[in-house]
Amino acid sequence: MEFQGIQRAAGAFQEPLTAEEIAAVCRRAFGPGTRVVSAVELGLGMYNTTYRIDLGEGRPVVLRVAPEPGRQFSSERELMRNEYASVPYLTSIAPLMPRVLAADFTHELIGRDWMIQSLLDGVPAPERLGGYPRPAWRGFFRQLGDIARRVHDIRGPRFGPVAGPGHATWSEAIVVALGRIAADLEGAGLDAADLREVAAVADRRRAALDEVTEPRMLAGDLWTVNVMLADGAPEPTISGVLDLDRTWWGDPAADWTIRMALARPGTERDAFWETYGAPDGSPSAGLRARIYHARHVGAVRLERHRLGNADGVRDSYDEVRALLAGLRG
């Protein structure tokens, strides 16, 4: 086997597999006679460890390996299982998604969850979008708005992560989510008093949160970093979406996609709303948006800490402080 890994510092969050482990996984998935021609670790993503696998016939496949259970935060626990549970609901965008070819959550081979998926056509959007003239980016964001709308139109049975645990009300799902992020931050040695205060505000303002009565699918992490573009197309054309492991049921306005679409008004991103539909501008929606924004910042703080980004962690406190000023008012 030709094996190419990525050199990482000792103790890095993403842990590689050995060539022998990759061969064992492929034999488990495709049969004892399976031969791996090459395995190349991909640098995409910051959570799972991912390999492009050539089996010597047909298209290469993608192996994704979750972190060991003991390295997962409680607010990010078993994300791969969550994605697996989401696939049957996401039929409206199925042609854009990789197909699951095999999955193993038994930990019998490597002590970690793993999944093998088909390889999507195209080029990662962060590598190609900048090569198009900026006016053409509007078409990209119109496509993204259409995809987000199709996801958000999917109705679910309860609030919370798709794989569970579920909650009867949206307010309960939000309060629990904020509490888990805060506990993870404290477990990592970081101050989470600001997130605890946001959770207390959410608890007091349950009535506003519970105006959301119908659980809808939230993609969780759908933005340019998780989108593929058709290679060589005259204008940016979305050919695939990936890494839908943070899906949950709730208010579409709480999705990361909506946060990013709102982040730079007056730019090409405004075209997102042409296909998605206008955001809710009511006072209660504004209150909810501040709570959702704070939750996103808390999750980002946790990720920045994992990546050793001390400046980013520090900046997150200023951002939540500004949100709390509005929430207190």
Side-chain angles (χ1 to χ4, degrees), residues 148-149 151-156 158-161 169-171 173-174 208-220 247-259 276 278-280 282 284-293 295-296:
R149 170 48 60 197
V151 172
H152 291 167
D153 282 345
I154 301 168
R155 293 169 171 81
R158 60 201 172 346
F159 295 102
T169 64
W170 178 229
S171 62
I174 285 292
L209 289 165
D210 288 335
E211 290 178 13
V212 179
T213 59
E214 185 176 53
R216 298 294 189 98
M217 173 73 80
L218 280 62
T247 52
W248 58 321
W249 299 114
D251 178 5
D255 208 350
W256 177 251
T257 313
I258 300 303
R259 172 68 204 138
Y276 182 85
D280 185 350
S282 68
S284 57
L287 169 68
R288 292 192 295 268
R290 289 188 181 94
I291 294 171
Y292 301 158
H293 188 171
R295 175 188 167 273
H296 289 314

Side-chain angles (χ1 to χ4, degrees), residues 69-90:
R71 296 171 68 86
Q72 298 178 23
F73 291 122
S74 64
S75 59
E76 298 179 323
R77 195 154 193 83
E78 298 182 340
L79 294 181
M80 188 170 290
R81 300 186 187 198
N82 191 65
E83 178 172 347
Y84 188 82
S86 304
V87 170
Y89 292 100
L90 290 165

Side-chain angles (χ1 to χ4, degrees), residues 55-106:
L55 300 174
E57 55 183 38
R59 288 174 59 83
V61 297
V62 173
L63 167 64
R64 297 168 63 210
V65 186
E68 293 179 354
R71 296 171 68 86
Q72 298 178 23
F73 291 122
S74 64
S75 59
E76 298 179 323
R77 195 154 193 83
E78 298 182 340
L79 294 181
M80 188 170 290
R81 300 186 187 198
N82 191 65
E83 178 172 347
Y84 188 82
S86 304
V87 170
Y89 292 100
L90 290 165
T91 54
S92 61
I93 62 167
L96 295 171
M97 294 171 54
R99 290 179 293 109
V100 176
L101 305 177
D104 186 346
F105 304 148
T106 66

Side-chain angles (χ1 to χ4, degrees), residues 10-79:
F13 179 75
Q14 289 174 298
E15 297 180 294
L17 298 187
T18 65
E20 292 74 19
E21 288 173 327
I22 290 175
V25 163
C26 290
R27 287 194 296 269
R28 171 66 64 90
F30 301 115
T34 300
R35 173 175 171 267
V36 179
V37 175
S38 68
V40 179
E41 187 175 354
L42 303 176
L44 301 175
M46 295 178 288
Y47 192 76
N48 299 309
T49 305
T50 307
Y51 295 89
R52 175 185 171 121
I53 308 292
D54 184 356
L55 300 174
E57 55 183 38
R59 288 174 59 83
V61 297
V62 173
L63 167 64
R64 297 168 63 210
V65 186
E68 293 179 354
R71 296 171 68 86
Q72 298 178 23
F73 291 122
S74 64
S75 59
E76 298 179 323
R77 195 154 193 83
E78 298 182 340
L79 294 181

Side-chain angles (χ1 to χ4, degrees), residues 9 20 147 162 192 214 260 306 328:
E20 292 74 19
I147 293 168
V162 174
E214 185 176 53
M260 295 301 288
R306 184 168 60 220
R328 293 181 186 122

